[in-house]
Amino acid sequence: MELNKYKSALIGDNEDKAIEASNFLANRLDDEILTFLIDLLDSNDELIRDMAAITLAKNPDIRVVDPLFNAILKSENENARGVLVNCLAYFEIDDHFVDVFKLYLFGNFKVSPFAFDLLNSKSFDIRPRTLKKASKALHHFSHNIGD
């Protein structure tokens, strides 16, 4: 019963209760809570998505990386993904160099600096195929600057 109270508070309108719920859920992260929070990353409500990402970042789990990138890359989240990208700093994202590089190149005024920081502070698994994909993204960027 207590768990449901905190789940409701996390998605509620009271910011103080949402922060308290975030701390509670992060400290008790199990499969049920993890699934609940990952599901919230698909929310249409930006604040709910952000609170879920912030909560997940407090207790990083590798299972969160792909759903977090999915939320970041959803076209409908394009103008509301700064917090999501910032939360990537707490996860192992070594297989996502190209995704982060594209966020740096094509991101808005919030996303691009966060992605730049990730590129400078994280270790990435870079292979020839990774470099080819990054080069392709850079080529696309350089030929579409005026668009």
Side-chain angles (χ1 to χ4, degrees):
M1 186 63 160
E2 184 182 34
L3 181 58
N4 288 334
K5 177 182 101 173
Y6 284 103
K7 286 179 175 180
S8 295
L10 185 73
I11 60 176
D13 294 332
N14 185 315
E15 184 178 346
D16 291 334
K17 287 186 179 186
I19 292 168
E20 179 185 340
S22 173
N23 292 330
F24 177 88
L25 294 171
N27 289 329
R28 287 157 184 82
L29 194 65
D30 61 12
D31 287 344
E32 177 187 352
I33 295 171
L34 184 71
T35 300
F36 168 73
L37 294 170
I38 287 173
D39 288 346
L40 291 180
L41 292 175
D42 282 333
S43 173
N44 293 328
D45 185 316
E46 176 184 356
L47 296 176
I48 291 174
R49 260 192 330 269
D50 290 352
M51 281 306 297
I54 290 166
T55 305
L56 289 164
K58 291 177 183 178
N59 193 347
D61 186 303
I62 191 68
R63 295 173 288 179
V64 173
V65 174
D66 287 336
L68 185 55
F69 267 105
N70 289 341
I72 290 167
L73 299 176
K74 280 176 73 173
S75 60
E76 53 266 29
N77 296 342
E78 184 175 1
N79 294 316
R81 56 188 180 183
V83 171
L84 301 176
V85 174
N86 192 32
C87 287
L88 288 173
Y90 299 94
F91 295 92
E92 292 298 322
I93 56 171
D94 52 332
D95 290 334
H96 292 274
F97 175 80
V98 175
D99 293 324
V100 175
F101 187 62
K102 286 179 180 179
L103 290 170
Y104 168 64
L105 292 176
F106 302 107
N108 64 19
F109 70 98
K110 278 186 173 180
V111 170
S112 189
F114 287 146
F116 181 78
D117 287 344
L118 291 170
L119 291 170
N120 283 317
S121 63
K122 291 289 195 177
S123 296
F124 292 95
D125 184 17
I126 299 178
R127 299 193 164 125
R129 180 175 160 93
T130 308
L131 291 175
K132 186 173 182 175
K133 287 181 177 181
S135 177
K136 188 175 180 180
L138 182 60
H139 182 265
H140 178 73
F141 173 78
S142 65
H143 287 85
N144 293 291
I145 288 178
D147 293 345

